[in-house]
Amino acid sequence: MQWLPGLFCACPSSRAPSRRGAGFTLLELLIVLVVAAIAATVAGLSGQAYLDRARYSQTVRDLASQLQRARTLSVQDGRPVTVSYEPGSRQLLVDGAPALQVPEPLSVQWQAVERGARARQNAPEAAGQPIFVFNADGGARGGRIAVLRGALGTAFHVNWLFGTLEQTAAAAQS
């Protein structure tokens, strides 16, 4: 046999199909499985973070909606409406009725409304710790409630003169 540039030897052993090209080695399969496991872990962690952000955003929207509903109910019915928070059950209560369940991974900080003698006469005693009292004339008094995801979150308080809800950024208090 002659050797020509660019041609291989035509010996009988080179004509048999190579077993090397027939499949994957165990090492190649292990590498693929490790890469797939890493990708699944990263996707799972980012998916969990997305669900936590979505749960927080939905809770903030629901809280704002329930506070606005309490204010509207007060003006429509012509009576004070109390919004309280029950820390044991993690529920926001509007006139003693459950209105919003705060999901477990989120934390809640609140400052109860100061209840003077006049406030006790005008507003019925509510279950939980009263946070806000909306008056029939459109005014309100209240403390503060914040929903936190980690160290940051959103706080709600009312403008006592106009009875409007104000939403601000909040940080965890020690």
Side-chain angles (χ1 to χ4, degrees), residues 25 63 66-67 91 99 102 117 121 129-130 139 148 157 164 166:
T25 65
L63 181 58
Q66 290 300 323
L67 293 174
Q91 287 185 335
V102 178
Q121 291 174 350
Q129 298 188 16
L148 304 166
H157 61 279
T164 57
E166 296 179 359

Side-chain angles (χ1 to χ4, degrees), residues 6 40 47-48 62 71 97 117 121 123 128 147 155 157-158 165-166 174:
Q48 182 63 36
D62 289 347
R71 180 175 186 256
Q121 291 174 350
V147 177
H157 61 279
V158 293
L165 295 166
E166 296 179 359
S174 299

Side-chain angles (χ1 to χ4, degrees), residues 8 27 40 50 54 96 108 115 122 137 146 171:
F8 293 99
L27 182 61
Y50 173 77
V108 177
R115 297 179 57 91
N122 294 340
D137 63 0

Side-chain angles (χ1 to χ4, degrees), residues 61-80:
R61 281 192 302 270
D62 289 347
L63 181 58
S65 172
Q66 290 300 323
L67 293 174
Q68 189 61 45
R69 184 176 73 88
R71 180 175 186 256
T72 303
L73 180 67
S74 172
V75 173
Q76 284 178 350
D77 289 355
R79 64 181 177 83

Side-chain angles (χ1 to χ4, degrees), residues 87-103:
S89 62
R90 299 179 56 85
Q91 287 185 335
L92 184 74
L93 308 169
V94 175
D95 265 1
L100 175 66
Q101 179 75 35
V102 178

Side-chain angles (χ1 to χ4, degrees), residues 5 13-15 30 41 45-46 54 57 59 76 93 133 144 162-163 165 173-174:
S13 64
S14 68
R15 289 186 186 174
L30 286 175
T41 301
L45 292 176
S46 64
S57 297
T59 302
Q76 284 178 350
L93 308 169
V133 177
R144 175 183 180 271
F162 300 113
L165 295 166
Q173 297 172 351
S174 299

